[in-house]
Amino acid sequence: AFVHPFSVTNAFATSSSSSSSRWMSSSNEAPPQQEKTEEEMAAIKAAREERKAEKERKKAEKAAKKAAAKAAEEEANKVHNVNYLSYANQDSYEKCGDMDRIMSKSQTGRTFSRVFDIGTSDDATHKPGDTIWLSGRLHSIRVKGGSCFLVLRQNSFDTVQACFFKDKEDPDGSAKMIRYLKTLTAESIIQLEGTVVEANVKSCSVQDAELSIQRIHSVSNAEAMLPFLVEDAARSEKEVEESQGTDRPFPR
């Protein structure tokens, strides 16, 4: 039978192509992986455990550093009690903080002044520029931002205003002072050292002067919530009655 040359050529090309495809397919197949020995598996596991342990170590180290930094910050910001033993050593004591019991270990050497001796008149004992110590009840206090205004009361009616303002030259000390002032409660017994400055204060018995606070300590802290305040006891019966129909009635 007659076979056309083109058919033979075509058949040869098809056979060659099929063989080539099988060769390429077999050459692209990945060689079978050999199973790892027990020693290799143990080494891989040990490396994994080591990486995990290193990660945990770094995590613990970071947590420890964070805790140490927090503790150091809290210690730096803590207001400690003051063991005030001597006026001569005053500069070595904290400028604020509750007074510790000295149990008659010493006489401090301080001289406390009277509120009604403060003023700008010629007969005033303590005039602007004088630095004095006062002891009395904390009549009222208001702290806002970097400033504080308080009123110290002696006896029943002698009152003087004292104030504190943030010092840009001592930001840390000022911040500690503000934190301490925020803890003080009305009717606590306090002692403060301040410089007399001229002022116009209408709400106190000393109206022409006030004190710039240098040091302040609480000797005895009053409860934050008292049954009534001096202002309540000083109100007349008429004022109390008229307040009963308002949103803020005065206590009877």
Side-chain angles (χ1 to χ4, degrees), residues 232-241:
D232 300 326
R235 294 188 184 97
S236 66
E237 186 64 26
K238 181 181 179 181
E239 289 177 308
V240 175
E241 286 294 339

Side-chain angles (χ1 to χ4, degrees), residues 48-109:
R48 187 185 301 115
E49 293 294 334
E50 184 178 355
R51 289 194 300 270
K52 183 178 179 181
E54 179 66 13
K55 185 177 180 180
E56 292 295 331
R57 186 191 66 78
K58 289 183 178 180
K59 183 179 179 181
E61 183 180 350
K62 183 178 180 181
K65 288 182 178 179
K66 186 176 181 180
K70 183 179 180 181
E73 183 180 1
E74 290 178 351
E75 180 63 24
N77 294 333
K78 186 178 180 180
V79 179
H80 299 277
N81 289 352
V82 178
N83 196 359
Y84 198 111
L85 298 176
S86 171
Y87 181 76
N89 297 326
Q90 176 174 275
D91 291 342
S92 65
Y93 305 146
E94 293 280 355
K95 292 185 178 181
C96 60
D98 294 348
M99 283 285 193
D100 250 344
R101 296 177 182 176
I102 64 172
M103 296 179 290
S104 301
K105 293 178 183 177
S106 68
Q107 293 182 343
T108 64

